[in-house]
Amino acid sequence: MADDVELRDLRNALRGYLSRIASDADVARWDRAERFPDEVLGGLAALGVTGLTFDERYGGVGPDYRALCVVVEELARVSGALAWVYLTTVSVAGRAVARYGSADLRARILPQIAAGDLRVSVALTEPEAGSDLGALRTTGALDSDSVVINGQKVFTTGADTAGRILTLVRTSAQARFRGALTFVLVPADADGIEVRPLDKMAGQAAHTCEVFYTDVRVPRTEIVGDVGGALDILFAALDSERVCTGAMGLGIAQGALDKARAYACERKQFGKAIVEHQAIAHLLADMVISVDSARLLIERAADKLQSGAPCGHESAVAKIAGSEAGTSCANGGMQILGGYSYMTEYGMERYWRESKLYEIAAGTNQILRDSIAKSLVGQSVRYRHCN
Ligand SMILES: Cc1cc2nc3c(=O)[nH]c(=O)nc-3n(C[C@H](O)[C@H](O)[C@H](O)COP(=O)(O)OP(=O)(O)OC[C@H]3O[C@@H](n4cnc5c(N)ncnc54)[C@H](O)[C@@H]3O)c2cc1C
């Protein structure tokens, strides 16, 4: 696991790389053209950060969850689309296969992720199953050597450019959750898959898609974990995804703070820099408080993930703190930049548009508050939700 100096060096290396290859203007252009910048992800593999959730046997350099959070934060500071695709591939699929996949699946899949050659989308959400994944209807019928999938997913980000879609299917109607759900690593080009991108308000470089499965036959070897064993994988995957989603919010919060501070020192009104007006200075101070507290909570959750202990509570708290730091700092940044905040050139409006997603995805903040509150009085709501 990287120490503080190594994490600082990692952050500096990423910032240097991203500032060369993904300027605000580049990112705005990719979003407008709805084109995913494959070349940026390829460069991340060269920096050695696509193997942070598994060990060197499979080409990885992990697991290292603090480092993972630094990468996600720095990517989100630059582009939500990049951060999300990295997250589903490395944090969710990489971690799920490393922890629960068969030896054969680990040996085939993880080196491709580490090399930056494989992108994986995660398909949990369905039209009737968002926060309530127990309502999931996509079925996986098992025969001797295959699982045959029928159904529909929605909001599957990156499905049209992924090599694999990690798909949650119902393999039993006997229960809502335990024993009834199974993860299958479906080849994205399998016969019977149709992907339709949706029109959305932010992060358009990574398409968020509907995925239709019609008699999609996948060998049983592509099942992750046991048949009916998705629940434990889901908990583990969601813990990691939530900490990382918090880190995405933090990336936006830090980026908004950096841009707003620079602007407030430069922009003069009424004969002085606007940072000298107390209303603006206090907005900046509030942004610093949000960033610092979110960072500490995300580091705490990353350490708990690293320890291997259950971290449902810490990941929920970190996700809420990071995502709400993102929305509040983006909002503060818009106010500080005034009319210029609306202009795409400054990148603040992108933060504002992108930040909302992190309060919704990976378990909405209401569902997670519900879970935190219920655990105070000893009730479990872990079965409800979410991606
Ligand atoms: C841009 C984008 C990208 C996404 N990418 C992916 C992806 O890659 N893979 C994937 O599987 N999913 C993805 N999602 C889906 C995302 O995880 C879901 O939107 C999220 O889980 C919420 O589900 P829902 O939208 O169906 O909302 P619903 O569950 O219908 O919730 C609607 C509202 O009701 C509230 N609510 C629901 N139940 C309760 C309750 N019991 N108590 C209190 N409030 C409640 C919610 O908090 C929310 O405010 C993405 C979504 C977006 C917008």
Side-chain angles (χ1 to χ4, degrees), residues 84 88 122-125 130-132 154-157 200 208 357 360-364 366-367 370 384-387:
W84 194 263
T88 56
V122 176
L124 308 181
T125 310
S131 299
D132 179 13
V154 71
F155 301 148
T156 312
T157 302
K200 63 177 180 176
T208 294
L357 173 61
I360 295 170
T364 69
Q366 289 105 313
I367 293 284
D370 210 25
R384 218 194 278 140
H385 172 138
C386 302
N387 155 0

Side-chain angles (χ1 to χ4, degrees), residues 149-221:
I149 302 173
N150 280 287
Q152 183 197 342
K153 297 290 179 178
V154 71
F155 301 148
T156 312
T157 302
D160 56 342
T161 54
R164 296 271 181 150
I165 304 174
L166 182 62
T167 306
L168 186 61
V169 299
R170 177 169 294 288
T171 40
S172 165
Q174 301 306 312
R176 265 165 61 82
F177 285 105
R178 193 163 289 285
L181 305 179
T182 303
F183 271 115
V184 186
L185 202 52
V186 180
D189 60 356
D191 285 346
I193 289 194
E194 188 194 344
V195 178
R196 293 185 202 154
L198 297 159
D199 204 23
K200 63 177 180 176
M201 78 169 189
Q204 294 94 334
H207 300 165
T208 294
C209 306
E210 293 177 298
V211 183
F212 299 85
Y213 302 74
T214 309
D215 293 330
V216 177
R217 182 171 287 276
V218 182
R220 271 182 179 242
T221 50

